[in-house]
């Protein structure tokens, strides 16, 4: 369909050119028409990554937010593909090699960040303070793989990284650092401080222009309550490099992005809060961080590369607290909506802006049973967070133990009944729709240790070159498509 549409559009364009030929020639020959200076339009790329946002989580989030028949912004993206996410050594990837594949086009081992395929992930060793943050990668363990963000900087574009996790966590780290193990977050933090020891020189003399997220602990000396064993104060070093610095929502809101060249905002010691728990007077929303980043970056006439991560969808799924995961998916979707609207202000047809939305891997969340339609979740309607009810009679469905069961479940997780489910006969929707309810799992694992899933993930795209995203593609191919579409 897309191909045929393209031909039709091409034909109409040809006819239009023929029809207008004579007047075009006349205008060109008119000696009084001043020659327009040729100014290249800025080329912008926004790469949205929903960490752990698998297909079932997306469907559940849609039902949660707008009901079965509604549309999230993600649902409205005109071009779509499926993405294979396996890593170099594992059927099921972790965030590090999957995001690295998107950013570099290289397939690497689990836990490796933006390095060559032969790089071995070597666990950190204890540092001077006993924290497992000591670098044991070795000197001959692989070579850096260039990232899209580095390519953008090399071409004179601006670049930004926005996330709800620690800014040194695997997904954001894959855009700006190269290291054998994702847990080396002190080293990763140092990679973004222009001119300092451990700085990634591929980020140019000025470094990343916008940095927003959580994780001050890896920028703060151990003696001052942080995790740095080298006693450097990287926040002070960033200030000295002329970044406008924000540490809470008040300071963030006071910064006018259109008048700021470099912005550095870390709002929490570790990850930012789940959206359900977020205090807006202390932490900005992902949508607010995204649009302010665009304000700062848009001042570069060559354009920008911006990565935005909805990072805590993944953490909520690891905890098997579905409501938190769905609300964070909605916050991520709101950031996409805000970004498209803002981009269209200066580029109405997005002919110079490519926006890509995808996930790095799936989780084991499932939608169980032949549930009657629930509609969206409200204070009085648990919606998809409720129990399975018969779609004809509306009666609560029971399993073979005679117990009700929730619509959302997990392949593995911390909540598995150790006896017959008949003891759960009292399971009700006040329980299952609670913010902190851990949905039941088939396989029992340690608390917080629900695993990723290996299923392909969704990719949606809109704007410049987005029509090249189609079919079932490898995560490394996404790099090539973004690079080609944006001219990086
Ligand atoms: Zn992930």
């Amino acid at each position: 369909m897309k191909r045929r549409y393209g031909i039709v559009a091409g034909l109409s364009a040809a006819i239009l050119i023929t029809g207008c030929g004579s007047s075009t020639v006349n205008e060109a020959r008119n000696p009084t028409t001043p020659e327009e200076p040729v100014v290249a339009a800025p080329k912008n790329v926004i790469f949205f990554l929903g960490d752990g946002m698998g297909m079932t989580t997306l469907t559940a989030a849609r039902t949660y937010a707008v009901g079965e028949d509604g549309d999230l912004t993600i649902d409205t993206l005109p071009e779509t593909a499926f993405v294979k996410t396996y890593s170099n050594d594992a059927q099921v990837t972790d965030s590090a090699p999957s995001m690295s594949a998107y950013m570099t086009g290289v397939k690497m081992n689990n836990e490796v960040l933006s390095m060559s395929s032969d790089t071995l992930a070597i666990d950190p060793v204890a540092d001077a303070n006993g924290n497992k943050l000591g670098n044991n990668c070795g000197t001959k363990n692989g070579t850096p793989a260039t990232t899209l963000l580095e390519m953008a900087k090399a071409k004179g574009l601006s670049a930004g990284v926005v996330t709800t996790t620690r800014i040194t966590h695997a997904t954001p780290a894959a855009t700006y650092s190269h290291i054998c193990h994702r847990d080396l977050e002190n080293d990763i933090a140092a990679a973004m401080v222009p001119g300092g020891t451990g700085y990634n020189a591929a980020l140019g003399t000025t470094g990343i222009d916008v940095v927003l997220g959580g994780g001050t602990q890896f920028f703060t000396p151990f003696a001052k309550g942080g995790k740095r064993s080298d006693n450097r104060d990287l926040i002070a070093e960033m200030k000295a490099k002329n970044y406008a610095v924000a540490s809470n929502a008040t300071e963030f809101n006071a910064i006018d992005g259109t008048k700021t060249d470099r912005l550095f905002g870390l709002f929490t010691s570790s990850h930012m809060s789940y959206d359900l728990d977020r205090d807006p007077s202390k932490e900005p929303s992902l949508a607010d961080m995204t649009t302010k980043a665009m304000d700062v970056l848009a001042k570069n006439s060559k354009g920008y590369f911006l990565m935005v991560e909805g990072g805590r969808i993944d953490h909520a799924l690891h905890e098997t607290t579905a409501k938190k995961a769905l609300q964070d998916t909605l916050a991520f979707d709101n950031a996409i909506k805000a970004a498209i609207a803002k981009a269209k202000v200066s580029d109405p047809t997005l002919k110079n802006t490519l926006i890509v939305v995808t996930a790095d891997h799936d989780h084991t969340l499932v939608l169980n049973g032949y549930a009657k339609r629930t509609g969206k979740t409200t204070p009085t309607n648990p919606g998809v967070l409720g129990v399975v009810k018969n779609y004809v009679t509306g009666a609560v469905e029971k399993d073979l133990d005679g117990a009700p069961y929730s619509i959302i479940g997990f392949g593995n997780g911390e909540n598995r009944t150790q006896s017959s489910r008949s003891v759960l006969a009292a399971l009700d929707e006040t329980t299952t729709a609670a913010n902190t309810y851990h949905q039941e799992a088939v396989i029992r694992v340690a608390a917080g240790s629900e695993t990723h899933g290996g299923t392909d993930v969704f990719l949606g795209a809109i704007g410049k070159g987005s029509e090249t995203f189609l079919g079932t593609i490898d995560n490394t191919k996404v790099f090539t498509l973004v690079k080609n579409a944006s001219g990086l």
Side-chain angles (χ1 to χ4, degrees):
M1 280 304 287
K2 279 174 187 134
R3 193 162 297 216
R4 207 184 317 152
Y5 178 77
I7 290 166
V8 172
L11 281 174
S12 331
I15 291 160
L16 277 173
I17 287 164
T18 310
C20 301
S22 55
S23 73
T24 306
V25 169
N26 287 344
E27 276 174 30
R29 283 176 180 170
N30 185 343
T32 59
T33 304
E35 279 197 18
E36 294 270 335
V38 180
V39 180
K43 299 289 189 287
N44 304 322
V45 179
I46 309 178
F47 191 92
F48 280 96
L49 193 289
D51 201 313
M53 190 186 67
M55 295 286 289
T56 43
T57 297
L58 265 180
T59 304
R62 178 196 304 139
T63 308
Y64 167 80
V66 290
E68 290 90 345
D69 54 356
D71 281 328
L72 295 171
T73 298
I74 291 174
D75 296 321
T76 68
L77 296 170
E79 308 294 342
T80 61
F82 295 110
V83 183
K84 306 173 189 176
T85 65
Y86 68 93
S87 72
N88 193 49
D89 61 349
Q91 191 173 78
V92 177
T93 190
D94 76 285
S95 303
S98 188
M99 184 58 171
S100 296
Y102 288 146
M103 291 299 108
T104 69
V106 176
K107 200 67 118 171
M108 60 199 77
N109 293 330
N110 271 10
E111 296 172 314
V112 174
L113 285 171
S114 294
M115 296 286 289
S116 52
S117 290
D118 59 348
T119 307
L120 301 174
I122 300 174
D123 287 340
V125 293
D127 65 11
N129 306 308
N131 291 319
K132 284 275 178 64
L133 292 165
N135 189 325
N136 196 32
C137 288
T139 52
K140 290 181 180 169
N141 185 11
T143 52
T146 306
T147 71
L148 290 170
L149 187 149
E150 291 168 338
M151 290 172 183
K153 289 297 293 185
K155 291 209 161 188
L157 278 68
S158 291
V161 180
V162 174
T163 180
T164 49
T165 67
R166 296 190 295 265
I167 200 72
T168 50
H169 207 241
T171 299
T175 68
Y176 66 85
S177 69
H178 308 273
I179 201 151
C180 87
H181 201 291
R182 54 180 287 176
D183 288 351
L184 292 164
E185 294 186 65
N186 276 339
D187 296 41
I188 292 166
M192 72 157 62
V193 183
T197 303
Y199 176 58
N200 175 15
L203 301 173
T205 52
T206 54
I208 310 170
D209 304 276
V210 176
V211 176
L212 295 171
T216 55
Q217 59 185 289
F218 295 108
F219 293 76
T220 307
F222 185 77
K224 288 185 180 172
K227 293 273 177 69
R228 295 203 70 81
S229 52
D230 60 5
N231 283 320
R232 284 170 66 188
D233 182 342
L234 300 189
I235 296 172
E237 290 184 33
M238 291 296 268
K239 265 184 196 158
K241 293 293 174 184
N242 297 319
Y243 280 89
V245 174
S247 63
N248 56 52
T250 306
E251 291 172 5
F252 175 80
N253 292 335
I255 292 171
D256 182 346
T258 64
K259 294 174 182 159
T260 304
D261 290 333
R262 296 143 71 67
L263 175 58
F264 179 75
L266 297 187
F267 305 99
T268 45
S269 170
S270 184
H271 304 302
M272 292 178 72
S273 299
Y274 287 121
D275 200 59
L276 267 182
D277 305 329
R278 185 173 63 86
D279 178 348
S281 73
K282 292 179 178 158
E283 300 175 45
S285 68
L286 187 59
D288 286 346
M289 292 196 289
T290 301
T291 51
K292 188 155 294 190
M294 292 169 74
D295 277 337
V296 175
L297 299 173
K299 291 200 296 299
N300 188 329
S301 61
K302 291 183 177 175
Y304 61 80
F305 176 86
L306 172 62
M307 192 291 293
V308 178
E309 184 197 24
R312 304 220 64 205
I313 301 165
D314 175 71
H315 297 158
L317 292 169
H318 280 306
E319 293 176 11
T320 59
T321 46
K323 188 173 182 182
K324 291 183 181 181
L326 303 189
Q327 178 61 35
D328 261 55
T329 304
L330 178 58
F332 179 64
D333 195 68
N334 285 337
I336 297 161
K337 184 182 191 177
I340 293 173
K342 190 168 191 70
K344 282 185 171 176
V345 172
S346 56
D347 184 9
T349 60
L350 300 182
K351 67 180 190 297
N352 296 309
T353 305
L354 170 64
I355 296 176
V356 175
V357 179
T358 190
D360 52 352
H361 52 77
D362 194 13
H363 269 267
T364 71
L365 184 147
V366 293
L367 295 168
N368 269 320
Y370 297 104
K372 179 182 174 71
R373 281 172 63 163
T374 64
K376 69 178 182 180
T377 299
T378 69
T380 54
N381 176 25
V384 72
L385 297 167
V387 298
V388 175
K389 291 175 187 162
N390 186 285
Y391 61 85
V392 177
T393 67
V396 172
E397 295 279 12
K398 308 275 178 68
D399 69 1
L400 277 181
D401 295 333
Y405 53 100
S406 57
I407 297 171
I408 296 176
F410 284 87
N412 62 66
E414 62 195 79
N415 178 13
R416 193 195 66 193
T417 307
Q418 295 305 295
S419 58
S420 165
R421 289 190 78 261
S422 58
V423 301
L424 299 176
L427 184 69
D428 63 35
E429 297 190 318
T430 308
T431 302
T432 62
N435 289 4
T436 54
Y437 180 66
H438 300 269
Q439 277 78 9
E440 288 175 83
V442 177
I443 303 296
R444 191 165 66 99
V445 297
S449 299
E450 183 269 351
T451 69
H452 297 172
T455 313
D456 295 352
V457 295
F458 172 85
L459 181 146
I462 186 170
K464 179 178 160 50
S466 61
E467 69 282 358
T468 59
F469 293 83
L470 73 173
T472 301
I473 55 179
D474 194 85
N475 53 5
T476 55
K477 178 78 179 291
V478 173
F479 162 83
T480 307
L481 296 178
V482 173
K483 184 174 181 292
N484 291 346
S486 60
L488 284 174

